[in-house]
């Protein structure tokens, strides 16, 4: 069975501090991977997607970056957090680009 | 510009009634329309989806009605149950674009017993 694990579950960070969020998918070879962000009361906004190791496409510019160092790992990061980065971050995977399977998300509060 | 719009933002119905959630979209190249459901404390999960070759897709108590000419679709939940209370997201994408799903803002459904 496929499992998707996100870490941490929640983070409280100061403005200007660095951030690293992780996502691991087990049980699926070469999945498409995605990072989504949901501001409070907002929609699910796709940030990045990756169809293979080392290749990441940016969908929205939010002063964030993403990397896929391994087939089953997707990392979201920034060197300097902004207040506007607060929200809920969801990692997801799919095959053939249709049905998405989401992780449980990371709640980020930037103070 | 919001590619996918949902209305209403929140809806309350009584148990047994039909809940209707509406969705409209801008891009005429969209050809895949899934609905995702989010229960509190859980992650969004695919509920039902439709492609424009059909104007209706049914799965148990859940039915999507699709109007390509008006770029509108709606999710009907018949015989609503308290367990259907959740946030429902309409989404749209163009096939073959690496699943660049555009989501609506979601609609919070509450079913009162």
């Amino acid at each position: 069975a496929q499992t998707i694990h996100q870490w941490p579950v929640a983070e409280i960070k100061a403005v200007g501090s660095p951030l690293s969020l992780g996502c691991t998918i087990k049980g699926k070879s070469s999945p498409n991977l995605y990072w989504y962000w949901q501001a409070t009361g907002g929609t699910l906004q796709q940030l990045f997607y990756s169809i293979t190791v080392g290749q990441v496409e940016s969908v929205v510019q939010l002063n964030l970056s993403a990397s896929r160092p391994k087939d089953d790992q997707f990392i979201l990061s920034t060197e300097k957090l902004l207040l506007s980065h607060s929200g809920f971050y969801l990692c997801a995977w799919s095959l053939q680009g249709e049905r998405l399977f989401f992780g449980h998300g990371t709640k980020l509060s930037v103070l | 510009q919001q590619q996918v719009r949902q209305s209403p933002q929140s809806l309350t119905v009584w148990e047994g009634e039909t809940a209707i959630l509406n969705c409209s979209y801008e891009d005429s190249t969209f050809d895949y329309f899934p609905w995702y459901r989010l229960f509190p404390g859980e992650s969004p999960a695919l509920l039902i989806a439709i492609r424009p070759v059909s104007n209706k897709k049914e799965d148990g108590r859940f039915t999507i009605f699709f109007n390509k000419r008006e770029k509108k679709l709606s999710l009907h939940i018949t015989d609503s149950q308290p367990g259907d209370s959740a946030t429902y997201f309409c989404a749209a994408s163009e096939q073959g674009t690496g699943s660049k799903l555009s989501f609506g803002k979601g609609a919070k459904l509450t079913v009162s017993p």
Side-chain angles (χ1 to χ4, degrees), chain A residues 1-42:
Chain A
Q2 306 84 29
T3 59
I4 179 168
H5 175 60
Q6 280 190 247
W7 73 92
V9 172
E11 277 268 48
I12 299 175
K13 303 279 280 187
V15 170
S17 63
L19 174 77
S20 182
L21 304 181
C23 175
T24 300
I25 292 84
K26 295 298 182 187
K28 242 344 156 190
S29 180
S30 303
N32 294 343
L33 298 178
Y34 310 86
W35 278 110
Y36 279 83
W37 171 68
Q38 184 184 26
T40 304

Side-chain angles (χ1 to χ4, degrees), chain A residues 48-90:
Chain A
F48 298 94
Y49 72 92
S50 170
I51 58 174
T52 191
V53 173
Q55 207 171 43
V56 177
E57 299 293 331
S58 173
V59 177
V60 170
Q61 284 297 327
L62 282 181
N63 292 308
L64 295 167
S65 60
S67 64
R68 186 170 178 177
K70 301 180 191 176
D71 185 54
D72 63 354
Q73 197 172 70
F74 208 18
I75 307 295
L76 183 70
S77 61
T78 182
E79 292 187 1
K80 276 189 175 183
L81 277 166
L82 307 173
L83 283 173
S84 57
H85 285 137
S86 292
F88 199 59
Y89 290 83
L90 284 160

Side-chain angles (χ1 to χ4, degrees), chain B residues 22-93:
Chain B
N22 299 302
C23 182
S24 63
Y25 61 98
E26 298 289 328
D27 194 334
S28 55
T29 62
F30 286 151
D31 57 6
Y32 174 64
F33 302 90
W35 285 84
Y36 281 79
R37 181 173 60 184
L38 175 63
F39 290 114
E42 297 187 10
S43 49
L46 179 67
L47 176 64
I48 187 171
I50 193 168
R51 291 189 180 84
V53 291
S54 306
N55 56 19
K56 180 181 176 182
K57 177 74 177 289
E58 202 168 344
D59 185 355
R61 297 185 294 108
F62 301 92
T63 302
I64 300 175
F65 291 94
F66 183 77
N67 186 323
K68 186 174 182 177
R69 184 178 59 85
E70 295 186 11
K71 294 192 225 174
K72 290 182 179 178
L73 57 156
S74 59
L75 176 67
H76 292 227
I77 306 172
T78 57
D79 188 25
S80 295
Q81 303 297 310
D84 295 328
S85 297
T87 299
Y88 292 80
F89 289 93
C90 175
S93 75

